Amino acid sequence: MALRNLRYEGDEILRKKSREVPLVDDRIRMLMDDMVETMYANDGVGLAAPQVGILKRVIVIDVEDGNIYKMANPKIISESGEEAAEEGCLSVPEKRGLVVRPMKVVVEYTDENNQAKKLEAEGLLARAICHEIDHLNGVLFIDRVIDDKIEE
Ligand code: CO
């Protein structure tokens, strides 16, 4: 595994839409593993491929629920509830702000073994999934902040 360089707000790659991954092969698995290592090295709970300069629909998440999720082509197929909570982002260091997200989501994705999976998530895990999928569409949490007082 290897650390990858993070991209930061202002880098136009963070505003681009990522492409679907047709097959989770060794190359994608290596990307996923590198992303996990990079996430841990920066004390993050999630990371999306554009944050390391790769415009592919790949995200990794570890919200300390005992699981590391490595997802290709994640897609939210249903959501319910709403909850406002503070978010931050490794690509927008030193800023935090309140963002409204669904309480619960159901997400379909392809896992690191190229198997189709469906996951029901709530709370912080649901929030992390939504935040990381936003990255795949060129959206940053600062676009969604509701309290208008992003802390620097
Ligand atoms: Co982020």
Side-chain angles (χ1 to χ4, degrees):
M1 292 204 285
L3 287 177
R4 306 250 180 155
N5 289 326
L6 283 175
R7 303 298 186 97
Y8 296 100
E9 186 198 0
D11 189 322
E12 66 179 29
I13 202 162
L14 293 174
R15 294 306 190 172
K16 294 188 172 164
K17 198 168 157 70
S18 293
R19 291 193 186 83
E20 295 271 328
V21 174
L23 173 72
V24 177
D25 56 11
D26 284 346
R27 195 178 166 86
I28 296 295
R29 275 187 284 277
M30 182 176 294
L31 170 64
M32 288 169 160
D33 288 344
D34 287 354
M35 286 169 61
V36 169
E37 187 175 349
T38 304
M39 172 179 75
Y40 288 151
N42 291 280
D43 295 320
V45 299
L47 197 66
Q51 294 181 273
V52 294
I54 308 287
L55 288 172
K56 293 182 191 296
R57 300 189 81 81
V58 172
I59 65 175
V60 298
I61 291 172
D62 181 352
V63 294
E64 298 178 338
D65 67 346
N67 294 296
I68 302 171
Y69 299 97
K70 302 172 186 175
M71 302 181 175
N73 308 324
K75 190 177 177 199
I76 290 169
I77 58 167
S78 72
E79 55 181 66
S80 60
E82 277 191 333
E83 186 175 47
E86 200 176 84
E87 287 187 23
C89 178
L90 293 180
S91 292
V92 194
E94 313 300 323
K95 290 187 183 175
R96 302 188 66 80
L98 272 187
V99 179
V100 176
R101 300 284 191 187
M103 292 271 291
K104 293 184 180 179
V105 298
V106 178
V107 60
E108 288 182 343
Y109 64 99
T110 305
D111 75 3
E112 63 271 32
N113 299 311
N114 201 48
Q115 300 296 306
K117 288 282 174 71
K118 188 192 278 191
L119 174 72
E120 285 185 41
E122 57 182 275
L124 182 56
L125 180 57
R127 177 169 297 274
I129 290 167
C130 293
H131 177 118
E132 301 312 331
I133 290 175
D134 269 355
H135 276 297
L136 305 181
N137 296 319
V139 175
L140 298 176
F141 85 95
I142 49 176
D143 306 340
R144 297 189 183 275
V145 162
I146 56 166
D147 54 359
D148 216 34
K149 48 185 179 201
I150 294 176
E151 291 173 38
E152 300 260 354

